[in-house]
Amino acid sequence: MDKKATDITCAKYPINLRRVRKNKKIRDLFSSTFIPTSALIQPYFVYEGLDHPEELKSIAGQKKHNIKSVIKEIEFALTKNISSFLLFIIPEKKIISINVNDFNFDFDCEVISKIKNIFKDEIILFTDVCLCSHTANGHCEVNANNDLTIDILTKKAVLHASAGTDVVSPSDMMDGRIKSIRIALNQNSMNDRLIMSYSSKFSSNFYGPFRAAAESTPAFGDRKSYQLDPRNIGDAIRSSMRDIDDGADILMVKPAAQYLDIIYRIKNHNNKSKDFPLAAYQVSGEYQALHLMAAANLLKFEDAYIESLISIKRAGADLIITYGATRYQEHL
Ligand SMILES: [Zn+2]
């Protein structure tokens, strides 16, 4: 005789992993990835010769600032518990030159000293140290000369630190610049200033919106001879380990989402890298892609944004540079 379906007692699989997903309280109880606001760094773009702040069309929610408006923005960010800022300072005049002395960083220093005089130790000021916003051809390297470029970058880093920068942040990818900057800072009695090295900055397609903002699109060629090849894992590890030895205080992987494996590998490479502070830069292309998908009703920005930050944190980043830092708490 056939057995009725209602008479059958099914064997229950003894381990029910869904117990930990049952409701929000239980899910929160078992969550193991947390991002405090102190781990987030908000980038700002500050322009010379700008009368009024303007919307930055290439990166949603971001502005072209002048000194006055970036100060207001920092005041706002502090009310959202964000106190770390990475400044990209863009001069009006572009330089066609091969001499160290032709590069002056007066506007950079004006911006930095005005901000630090107001906020002092209430904020941590990171400032970008590169030359692509200064050079007429938009390249980070001057005259295709690594060592000449290091001399100019070192000068810029020391001037930034003298003006009040807490963390100089060389993003250029010249070989050997961390050691040069560390020695120069120490020789100029600023061995208390930190260096965040863009130690694993890949030659990526996801920088487009940023380059439009920072006026740093190369007029010719590309940056493949100084930025890392996306296929070369070993170069990322070696660059990171070398920069630890050369005096960096924070390493970085950039971009973040496409390089989560690199974040994980560096964090787990050896005891030295395991304990070393690692930042990840959620770059303009990653961030803008979420906005574009949200605008097309393909996802909800707030939720996707939080998920993107969690994945970066889970991979092993201690710090995250993200354009949405000041909105993080309200998106949670
Ligand atoms: Zn650059």
Side-chain angles (χ1 to χ4, degrees):
M1 200 171 72
D2 287 341
K3 206 170 167 54
K4 285 183 190 164
T6 48
D7 295 334
I8 298 172
T9 303
C10 292
K12 293 283 188 292
Y13 184 59
I15 299 169
N16 178 3
L17 291 180
R18 286 184 58 178
R19 280 195 290 268
V20 300
R21 310 168 203 158
K22 195 172 170 186
N23 61 42
K24 185 173 183 312
K25 283 279 176 218
I26 289 177
R27 290 194 293 276
D28 287 348
L29 180 69
F30 290 104
S31 61
S32 56
T33 308
F34 303 99
I35 307 172
T37 49
S38 59
L40 300 178
I41 302 168
Q42 172 73 48
Y44 290 129
F45 300 91
V46 188
Y47 291 73
E48 189 176 20
L50 191 69
D51 290 334
H52 302 286
E54 293 169 13
E55 192 197 337
L56 230 175
K57 292 192 178 71
S58 59
I59 313 174
Q62 308 303 300
K63 283 182 183 158
K64 287 183 166 193
H65 285 288
N66 56 27
I67 300 179
K68 205 171 146 193
S69 70
V70 81
I71 288 169
K72 270 194 177 162
E73 200 73 29
I74 291 172
E75 281 167 358
F76 168 77
L78 287 170
T79 68
K80 303 290 178 187
N81 294 321
I82 297 297
S83 54
S84 292
F85 307 101
L86 173 58
L87 293 193
F88 294 90
I89 303 170
I90 295 114
E92 217 170 3
K93 194 175 146 232
K94 308 297 173 186
I95 297 169
I96 311 166
S97 175
I98 55 164
N99 298 311
V100 178
N101 291 332
D102 291 336
F103 285 83
N104 84 69
F105 300 101
D106 295 347
F107 180 63
D108 292 62
C109 295
E110 186 190 347
V111 173
I112 294 162
S113 60
K114 278 193 175 155
I115 291 173
K116 274 305 271 189
N117 281 339
I118 293 171
F119 297 102
K120 302 194 167 61
D121 289 343
E122 226 185 317
I123 65 168
I124 303 170
L125 194 61
F126 296 65
T127 55
D128 181 67
V129 174
C130 195
L131 300 174
C132 46
S133 296
H134 297 265
T135 53
N137 62 22
H139 271 285
C140 311
E141 187 175 34
V142 174
N143 203 29
N145 184 328
N146 187 88
D147 294 354
L148 168 73
T149 308
I150 287 183
D151 288 345
I152 306 170
L153 290 165
T154 302
K155 180 176 160 181
K156 181 170 178 174
V158 171
L159 287 170
H160 275 203
S162 306
T165 290
D166 298 294
V167 190
V168 292
S169 309
S171 62
D172 52 286
M173 297 304 288
M174 294 303 112
D175 206 45
R177 87 276 205 223
I178 300 302
K179 192 176 221 168
S180 171
I181 291 171
R182 183 75 273 161
I183 290 169
L185 287 173
N186 294 359
Q187 282 176 347
N188 286 278
S189 309
M190 290 185 287
N191 62 3
D192 62 333
R193 302 312 164 88
L194 292 88
I195 302 174
M196 175 168 72
S197 172
Y198 284 60
S199 44
S200 302
K201 180 179 179 180
F202 286 88
S203 177
S204 170
N205 291 288
F206 290 84
Y207 302 146
F210 172 93
R211 287 179 184 168
E215 299 174 357
S216 62
T217 306
F220 57 86
D222 55 42
R223 295 180 166 124
K224 289 183 181 174
S225 72
Y226 43 96
Q227 297 180 350
L228 306 188
D229 189 299
R231 299 166 296 182
N232 196 335
I233 299 166
D235 200 6
I237 302 289
R238 283 196 302 277
S239 299
S240 305
M241 298 311 294
R242 193 268 312 271
D243 285 358
I244 292 176
D245 292 339
D246 280 358
D249 301 284
I250 304 167
L251 301 177
M252 190 204 289
V253 174
K254 179 183 179 182
Q258 292 74 21
Y259 297 86
L260 295 175
D261 61 316
I262 302 292
I263 295 173
Y264 184 83
R265 281 169 188 268
I266 290 171
K267 224 23 191 173
N268 294 282
H269 180 63
N270 61 21
N271 279 340
K272 203 192 255 185
S273 69
K274 186 166 129 290
D275 297 325
F276 208 83
L278 178 63
Y281 199 138
Q282 182 184 51
V283 303
S284 56
E286 296 173 57
Y287 185 73
Q288 189 65 1
L290 297 179
H291 276 285
L292 293 174
M293 282 193 278
N297 289 322
L298 296 174
L299 50 76
K300 190 175 168 213
F301 176 79
E302 292 81 354
D303 294 347
Y305 176 62
I306 296 298
E307 184 183 348
S308 71
L309 295 186
I310 287 171
S311 68
I312 297 166
K313 178 74 180 167
R314 211 179 50 231
D318 301 296
L319 307 171
I320 304 174
I321 301 154
T322 170
Y323 294 98
T326 57
R327 308 288 301 278
Y328 169 71
Q329 273 189 325
E330 64 191 81
H331 290 337
L332 265 183

